Amino acid sequence: MKFKKFCAKCGKSFITEKNETYCTACKFAMSSQKKNNPAEISKQQAVLNYIRDRQMSSESRSVSAQEVMEKVGVTKEFINSMVRAEFFGNSFKNGEKYPHHCEKCGKIIFEGVYCENCLKELRAMLKKEGEEREIKKQLLIEMEAQRKNNNVILIVDENRYFAEKTRQIIQEKFQNYNILIANDVEHTINFSHGLKVKLILIDDAINLRFDGLKILNKIREDYVISDMPVIVTTNKFDEEKKSAAFKLDARDYIEKPFNAENLIERVSKILFSDVEFINPMHKILLIDDNADDAEIEKNILEENFHCTVFTVESGIEGLEILQNVENISLICISLQMSFMNGFRVLEFIRQNEFFKSIPAVFMINSENSDVIQRIKKSPAVGYVNKPEISAGYLNFLKKYLPKEKKL
């Protein structure tokens, strides 16, 4: 087993298979001193100094035996004697260049700054850093989209070239949209939940790292974005994939490379054929005993749906609103309330036959798995995170508000 140690005499690191105190250079120097040969020691020190200076000034960190012979004025035999004394380590016998330690692990090498294994690790690290920079870039675009409150078209494609070409074509026509790129399930779902995604284009490729139809299936299983309009794109037309895409409610199936005009026409058809607005005559009942949260939630709902939002602090007050106000289309109930929790409030409201058909949504602070399972078994149609209701959850709520077609 090899160990990396520090020489007790010179302080430099060295690799050894034994429990040694001194590096081979210092051992040789001490051995030469015992022989009381000052001229020999002087030559050895000159060789050592030259190699050290040469390594410090050279990018390659390696020196040939011929260079040492010419610059220091020693013979080949003298260098060989230093090699035999293991002044440079046993590995020097395999080549003409002077060995030195890898800057990262200390292994003896003849060229460069790092050994092969460390180079592989560094390359992997640089690749990962590059991927992280790309993710940060996308997150900055996402944050800008949130700041501008713009609509988003999401392109999901593992091939960066095709994704970027698609983005350029769409962005030129739809300049008031943010065009984002994702390349896996997690980013697709996160973008769709957090932003006002109006359309997703998903490549149908299937390989070890990417499965476009699987991503589409995940979207359909996610109740928040299950009705998101999706166009499936393909590098090679496949009737089976096309059939599978339409079974998952894809709105279109387009073959690459795209004709720009055709792509814009088909994207426009989906974006603008189903344009609707929330009828302002309808109202939302918001039950939350946290006044600060309720104020934030009320502002978000009114700003996005242009409806009247009634806020109350308890189930009893909520029942009074339901009995006295017409056109309540949606009930939003905070799950964590001190006097009566959301489950009890919904149970209390559902006891009245007239209000059973009004969709109810729970508002929660954290997505605890046990709580989510209980919500799924309850009469509620789902849940949203509070108090800052994200764009994805707003899209979910919009499904339960009566709409009218724009003329």
Side-chain angles (χ1 to χ4, degrees):
M1 186 175 180
K2 294 185 178 182
F3 301 90
K4 181 178 179 181
K5 299 193 65 178
F6 293 91
C7 177
K9 187 173 187 294
C10 68
K12 294 182 179 179
S13 63
F14 65 100
I15 305 297
T16 177
E17 295 182 355
K18 304 174 184 178
N19 189 20
E20 296 178 331
T21 306
Y22 303 99
C23 65
T24 53
C26 289
K27 283 198 299 182
F28 180 78
M30 289 187 288
S31 174
S32 298
Q33 286 174 351
K34 289 179 181 178
K35 294 178 181 178
N36 196 22
N37 189 341
E40 192 89 354
I41 295 171
S42 178
K43 285 184 181 180
Q44 292 161 359
Q45 191 61 50
V47 171
L48 176 64
N49 290 342
Y50 175 75
I51 293 172
R52 182 196 61 205
D53 295 340
R54 178 70 173 77
Q55 289 178 345
M56 289 180 66
S57 63
S58 171
E59 291 183 4
S60 69
R61 302 293 308 279
S62 57
V63 187
S64 69
Q66 188 63 37
E67 285 181 273
V68 177
M69 290 164 57
E70 292 174 359
K71 299 294 183 181
V72 182
V74 294
T75 64
K76 180 74 171 180
E77 289 73 21
F78 184 82
I79 293 175
N80 287 338
S81 69
M82 293 179 70
V83 173
R84 285 193 296 273
E86 298 185 356
F87 187 87
F88 305 111
N90 292 330
S91 58
F92 184 61
K93 296 174 183 178
N94 298 324
E96 263 303 321
K97 295 192 173 183
Y98 279 88
H100 53 276
H101 295 295
C102 169
E103 290 286 345
K104 193 170 185 293
C105 69
K107 180 181 177 180
I108 291 177
I109 54 177
F110 289 89
E111 290 184 320
V113 179
Y114 302 104
C115 68
E116 198 60 38
N117 288 337
C118 290
L119 272 176
K120 288 180 181 178
E121 291 180 9
L122 288 168
R123 289 190 188 108
M125 182 181 72
L126 288 172
K127 182 180 179 183
K128 184 178 180 182
E129 287 178 353
E131 292 173 350
E132 288 176 350
R133 280 196 298 272
E134 188 59 37
I135 291 171
K136 287 179 181 178
K137 178 182 174 183
Q138 288 293 321
L139 289 175
L140 288 173
I141 296 173
E142 175 191 351
M143 290 169 63
E144 182 66 11
Q146 289 176 325
R147 187 182 69 80
K148 292 181 177 179
N149 206 27
N150 282 2
N151 294 325
V152 170
I153 297 173
L154 184 62
I155 300 166
V156 186
D157 198 326
E158 187 184 42
N159 187 312
R160 292 294 302 184
Y161 172 79
F162 276 123
E164 187 58 33
K165 290 292 288 184
T166 306
R167 190 194 70 77
Q168 290 172 6
I169 292 171
I170 297 175
Q171 189 70 81
E172 185 175 349
K173 178 66 177 178
F174 302 101
Q175 296 182 5
N176 59 331
Y177 282 74
N178 277 288
I179 317 300
L180 302 184
I181 297 172
N183 60 7
D184 59 26
V185 175
E186 183 179 357
H187 284 113
T188 302
I189 300 299
N190 287 344
F191 281 144
S192 300
H193 276 212
L195 299 172
K196 292 184 177 180
V197 178
K198 298 300 182 181
L199 175 64
I200 305 178
L201 286 82
I202 301 179
D203 185 70
D204 71 351
I206 299 175
N207 55 49
L208 292 175
R209 295 182 66 250
F210 184 92
D211 186 333
L213 295 180
K214 180 179 179 181
I215 294 175
L216 176 53
N217 188 56
K218 288 288 185 183
I219 291 172
R220 295 300 176 233
E221 290 177 348
D222 189 310
Y223 80 91
V224 175
I225 55 174
S226 60
D227 61 347
M228 181 74 67
V230 173
I231 293 175
V232 174
T233 64
T234 183
N235 285 317
K236 184 179 180 181
F237 182 86
D238 185 308
E239 194 63 49
E240 290 186 7
K241 285 186 180 180
K242 179 180 179 180
S243 176
F246 283 121
K247 282 181 180 178
L248 290 169
D249 200 25
R251 302 287 288 274
D252 206 343
Y253 188 81
I254 308 176
E255 191 172 0
K256 302 175 186 177
F258 300 126
N259 173 286
E261 291 184 4
N262 181 48
L263 176 63
I264 293 302
E265 181 182 343
R266 292 163 86 164
V267 167
S268 299
K269 182 179 178 182
I270 294 172
L271 284 178
F272 303 128
S273 63
D274 297 327
V275 176
E276 299 168 321
F277 69 92
I278 307 299
N279 189 324
M281 294 296 293
H282 293 276
K283 304 171 181 67
I284 297 174
L285 172 60
L286 173 63
I287 305 173
D288 194 336
D289 64 356
N290 184 317
D292 293 333
D293 284 2
E295 184 66 22
I296 294 171
E297 294 150 10
K298 180 177 186 291
N299 290 338
I300 291 173
L301 293 171
E302 288 185 339
E303 180 181 343
N304 284 274
F305 298 143
H306 307 291
C307 295
T308 302
V309 179
F310 293 87
T311 58
V312 296
E313 296 184 358
S314 68
I316 294 174
E317 292 174 295
L319 192 58
E320 290 178 359
I321 293 292
L322 290 168
Q323 289 171 337
N324 296 302
V325 177
E326 294 182 354
N327 297 322
I328 297 292
S329 302
L330 178 66
I331 306 171
C332 298
I333 308 171
S334 176
L335 195 58
Q336 295 86 10
M337 292 191 291
S338 54
F339 178 70
M340 184 187 295
N341 68 32
F343 292 117
R344 294 289 306 279
V345 169
L346 182 57
E347 183 182 341
F348 176 71
I349 291 174
R350 287 290 190 254
Q351 290 175 2
N352 189 307
E353 291 291 329
F354 294 102
F355 310 134
K356 279 188 175 181
S357 60
I358 301 176
V361 174
F362 286 126
M363 299 184 297
I364 63 176
N365 290 316
S366 61
E367 296 189 14
N368 179 282
S369 58
D370 293 335
V371 172
I372 301 304
Q373 288 302 316
R374 189 175 174 188
I375 290 174
K376 289 180 178 179
K377 295 177 182 178
S378 75
V381 295
Y383 67 91
V384 300
N385 284 330
K386 57 167 281 193
E388 297 287 349
I389 305 171
S390 70
Y393 285 118
L394 286 170
N395 284 334
F396 164 67
L397 292 177
K398 188 167 67 173
K399 292 190 291 187
Y400 298 98
L401 295 174
K403 306 170 190 67
E404 297 179 2
K405 292 279 185 182
K406 281 188 177 179
L407 300 177

